Amino acid sequence: MAFTTNGVLNTVVDRYMSGLASVSDNWSLTVDRKSANAAALRLPAMTALGSVPTWNGTADLSSTATAVDEYNTTGITLTAQQYGAQIAISRLDAENVPEAVSYAAQKLGFAVANTYAEVVFGKWNNAFGSVKTGDDKALFATDHPMASGTRSNKLTSALDSSALMAAVKLSRQFKSYDGAPYDLTAAGFYLVVPPALEEAAHQAIRSTYTLVNTGGTNTSAQGLNNVSGNFFSPADIIVSPHINFDNDWFVVSKAESPMVFWERLAPQIRITESEDDLKRKLTIDFAIACDAKADPAVAIGSEVS
């Protein structure tokens, strides 16, 4: 039997939304979000056109068409994982503790937001290892295959202004699968770091000058202007407790992320009353998936030993 008291339902929704808002959704800035209504999400392979060839205006274009036919070897398929939880509150507890139901709704909202962040950053945590792109390489690797040769999106530098500029340089030099330049630097980047690197991230971006060692002991001196601020701002720094490495970091393009997040079923909260035990039950369910795309464009990661 549905529990339809409007006042209770409105309160539940309000407190649920409050719980959602209490956890940062900065994870969403690092992924390409999808909401396709399908049994599975299929992503295309790494075929790229590169540049448009000349044409005489009459020739049959089909003779030089680029075929997206690599799906079976480099395409990606995502299958959504279902999630669900229920909180049961007895009628007596609901009466004795007036905020029991609304507090439970708030905690459900918090749990949903936390789960979304855990799923996404959990994938980024493994982007130097088990999370692979369509070429069967880790998302961050020095040897992503192309149609001819390889390309790199991996560094090993500790986070500072020079390392950020090395990441920018690597982004400038990045190529599409067919070997054409694929420079998305103009769109800007997000800098993603664990809590242990938050201070270093701000120092790398906000310090006016770099420091240089002029030789000997205690001989650091003011160096050249720090130009990383031309490509990053403090607002571009993403910090999450869900990132489980201490020294590694990465940047991801604001124009295109190599990580996809699929929300197959959006969260739906329900409140019902059991006819058997009269408990008020708050139920939430959703279905999501996250994984690397076929192509590593464009994120640059630094695995610091």
Side-chain angles (χ1 to χ4, degrees):
M1 179 175 66
F3 188 78
T4 58
T5 303
N6 290 334
V8 174
L9 183 58
N10 290 339
T11 300
V12 163
V13 172
D14 288 344
R15 294 293 290 271
Y16 167 74
M17 296 303 296
S18 174
L20 277 180
S22 64
V23 177
S24 174
D25 65 349
N26 56 9
W27 58 267
S28 65
L29 300 175
T30 73
V31 294
D32 180 11
R33 297 191 66 171
K34 305 289 186 183
S35 58
N37 183 12
L41 182 65
R42 300 184 70 184
L43 301 177
M46 295 184 293
T47 303
L49 183 60
S51 58
V52 180
T54 59
W55 181 47
N56 63 10
T58 59
D60 184 359
L61 288 173
S62 65
S63 63
T64 57
T66 300
V68 182
D69 59 1
E70 300 176 44
Y71 176 79
N72 290 331
T73 56
T74 59
I76 299 292
T77 298
L78 270 69
T79 302
Q81 173 65 56
Q82 288 186 277
Y83 297 80
Q86 184 178 88
I87 299 177
I89 304 170
S90 71
R91 182 185 174 196
L92 182 60
D93 286 341
E95 294 294 336
N96 288 342
V97 186
E99 289 196 2
V101 175
S102 59
Y103 185 71
Q106 183 176 346
K107 290 303 181 183
L108 276 179
F110 180 89
V112 170
N114 226 26
T115 301
Y116 273 52
E118 286 178 355
V119 168
V120 172
F121 286 121
K123 288 295 182 179
W124 284 115
N125 285 336
N126 293 296
F128 293 99
S130 61
V131 173
K132 300 183 183 298
T133 52
D135 54 19
D136 203 34
K137 299 289 184 179
L139 195 159
F140 295 124
T142 59
D143 56 349
H144 285 289
M146 300 189 300
S148 177
T150 61
R151 51 185 172 165
S152 172
N153 66 342
K154 181 181 177 181
L155 300 169
T156 56
S157 304
L159 179 59
D160 59 18
S161 57
S162 295
L164 286 181
M165 292 310 301
V168 171
K169 180 181 178 181
L170 205 54
S171 173
R172 292 283 195 200
Q173 298 172 332
F174 197 78
K175 297 180 183 294
S176 63
Y177 178 74
D178 73 330
Y182 202 72
D183 178 12
L184 301 182
T185 306
F189 305 93
Y190 293 111
L191 170 59
V192 187
V193 299
L197 290 182
E198 184 170 6
E199 180 180 0
H202 281 278
Q203 288 178 342
I205 292 173
R206 302 174 70 172
S207 295
T208 306
Y209 300 101
T210 60
L211 293 178
V212 295
N213 193 304
T214 57
T217 305
N218 298 323
T219 56
S220 292
Q222 177 181 305
L224 299 174
N225 287 337
N226 175 13
V227 298
S228 65
N230 294 336
F231 300 91
F232 301 89
S233 75
D236 296 329
I237 299 173
I238 294 176
V239 185
S240 175
H242 297 289
I243 299 176
N244 66 8
F245 38 73
D246 289 329
N247 299 312
D248 302 340
W249 54 276
F250 63 91
V251 301
V252 58
S253 171
K254 294 180 179 180
E256 181 179 353
S257 172
M259 193 77 76
V260 62
F261 175 82
W262 180 30
E263 187 178 59
R264 176 62 181 87
L265 293 176
Q268 184 171 347
I269 189 168
R270 306 170 183 83
I271 179 169
T272 57
E273 184 174 290
S274 172
E275 293 181 344
D276 297 323
D277 55 17
L278 302 182
K279 288 182 178 179
R280 295 178 182 180
K281 297 181 178 181
L282 296 179
T283 305
I284 193 85
D285 78 296
F286 52 93
I288 57 177
C290 182
D291 209 345
K293 295 180 181 177
D295 198 292
V298 174
I300 310 295
S302 188
E303 187 175 31
V304 183
S305 58

